[in-house]
Amino acid sequence: MKFLDIGEVAALSGTKPSALRYYEEAGLIASVSRHGLRRQFPPEVLLQLKLIAMGKSAGFTLEEIAGMFGDNGAPDLPRDILREKANQIDRQIHELTALRDTLRHVADCPAPSHMECPTFRRLVDLAGKRGGKHKSSATRK
Amino acid sequence: MKFLDIGEVAALSGTKPSALRYYEEAGLIASVSRHGLRRQFPPEVLLQLKLIAMGKSAGFTLEEIAGMFGDNGAPDLPRDILREKANQIDRQIHELTALRDTLRHVADCPAPSHMECPTFRRLVDLAGKRGGKHKSSATRK
DNA sequence: CTGCCACTTCAAGCCAACTTGAGGTCAAGC
DNA sequence: GCTTGACCTCAAGTTGGCTTGAAGTGGCAG
């Protein structure tokens, strides 16, 4: 069994050792044993880290990510919850698409003030149209 | 001219007054005057807040967002920078799409361990393939 | 056997993005 | 003309996600 030192994982994944320890603490990854004091990570951890990176980039908190992928590293939840997460992400994709298109439009639109440009307004309107829950703004307390 | 009280803006946008003041402080939005002590916001601020929300959901910091949209509220940057931002977002959309598809696949795949499932691995691999800059992980100091 | 150096723990620090709280102001309705 | 309540300021607190620093440990090359 070829296990990995924290430094190797760091090098291979681009994640700093301190962050890796933090992730282990938070239950997102797990080392299988110790070699002396040193954590030994199974190679799968690299895949898990990729998933974690994806989740972060999706705007999920580490806690949400931890909930999304079980201790074993692979997604491990009731199917309908997974689907709900997927839909959440889908909504976000739509928002991002609108933002991307808005920026692209602005980069090409010759109008003096974008606020007046109907295309601009339509694009922006198009954004928020999706129910708008996620973990944002006005839902707390 | 019908200007808006901070409370009205809050109600209409779903952003708390404290956050609005914070945004003003940070230069993301601007009030046009005061009525007594009270900030008076132009209606455009609602559109700006939508753009800000989009930017946040895209994972940009407030500072980046402030840089993306000029004081006037509309995007206001050299075209190639706007295009670069748009491409950045595009990359993120690809990542999110991969994550969404991964979750959906897992929700439907009957394999006992996803780590073994080739479809799963392919989906995950598909994610990171895009150069991977953005403001993530291994770029700091 | 001796160092070296990559690791270890633990506490404290840091940044972003807000929120909370105390104490104050002021225009509008009664 | 007084109260009320939505606003104000400013300082401090909170949360998430790490990083940094000090002090210690232990496998392995020489």
Side-chain angles (χ1 to χ4, degrees), chain A residues 118-137:
Chain A
T119 308
F120 178 70
R121 292 199 160 260
R122 192 180 47 72
L123 282 166
V124 175
D125 277 4
L126 214 146
K129 282 307 167 217
R130 320 230 116 227
K133 270 281 156 67
H134 203 34
K135 48 121 184 209
S136 27
S137 43

Side-chain angles (χ1 to χ4, degrees), chain B residues 66-98:
Chain B
M68 222 174 285
F69 311 107
D71 290 5
N72 39 60
D76 189 30
L77 281 177
R79 296 173 188 294
D80 47 343
I81 298 213
L82 284 178
R83 286 205 191 85
E84 181 41 40
K85 297 268 184 196
N87 291 338
Q88 218 169 99
I89 293 166
D90 202 49
R91 264 172 265 133
Q92 210 185 335
I93 289 174
H94 277 82
E95 279 224 2
L96 285 182
T97 303

Side-chain angles (χ1 to χ4, degrees), chain B residues 5 21 34 37-39:
Chain B
D5 240 49
R21 284 189 279 264
R34 295 289 179 116
L37 284 183
R38 306 180 181 198
R39 289 164 179 80

Side-chain angles (χ1 to χ4, degrees), chain B residues 30-51:
Chain B
S31 53
V32 283
S33 65
R34 295 289 179 116
H35 179 54
L37 284 183
R38 306 180 181 198
R39 289 164 179 80
Q40 296 304 110
F41 289 99
E44 293 88 85
V45 88
L46 296 173
L47 181 56
Q48 294 176 234
L49 285 169
K50 214 166 212 169
L51 289 170

Side-chain angles (χ1 to χ4, degrees), chain A residues 7-26:
Chain A
E8 299 177 290
V9 176
L12 291 171
S13 70
T15 313
K16 289 191 184 178
S18 58
L20 293 172
R21 283 185 212 106
Y22 182 80
Y23 288 170
E24 189 183 28
E25 182 73 18

Side-chain angles (χ1 to χ4, degrees), chain A residues 79-89 91:
Chain A
R79 296 174 188 293
D80 48 340
I81 297 212
L82 284 178
R83 285 204 192 87
E84 182 39 43
K85 297 270 184 194
N87 292 338
Q88 218 170 99
I89 292 165
R91 263 173 265 134

